[in-house]
Amino acid sequence: MLGTRARATCDVIVFAIGLVVMGIFFKLSLEFAADSWAVREYSNKSVWQPALYPIKSVIPLAVGLVWLQNLAELVRATLTMLGIEFHDPREYEDSSETDPEYMPEAAGNDTE
């Protein structure tokens, strides 16, 4: 089992690679959406012929959001790797919001 800093070092490597991959995917998806907007692409497989260019615009938006999440995880992993203390809101999540059906303690306490 790896220690906290060793795991953080592995996370930094993975998230750095992820940033590069997601950056490339973002660039390609942006071009994909721009090409669709340039020709005002419509579906020819339906009688209704819905516009596809607004739908294809969601792809770069989603990729951009995943890239931002990856960046946040990279920063967290880097701070952990360097031993810098920071406030991680995920550590203080309220367990009362968790559905008791999915909690391991509650599963063993069924009296039915």
Side-chain angles (χ1 to χ4, degrees), residues 100-101 103-112:
E101 183 177 322
M103 294 177 64
E105 309 87 47
N109 295 338
D110 273 350
T111 56
E112 293 179 36

Side-chain angles (χ1 to χ4, degrees), residues 2-9 80-81:
L2 292 175
T4 305
R5 283 194 170 179
R7 270 186 278 135
T9 303
T80 303
M81 181 184 72

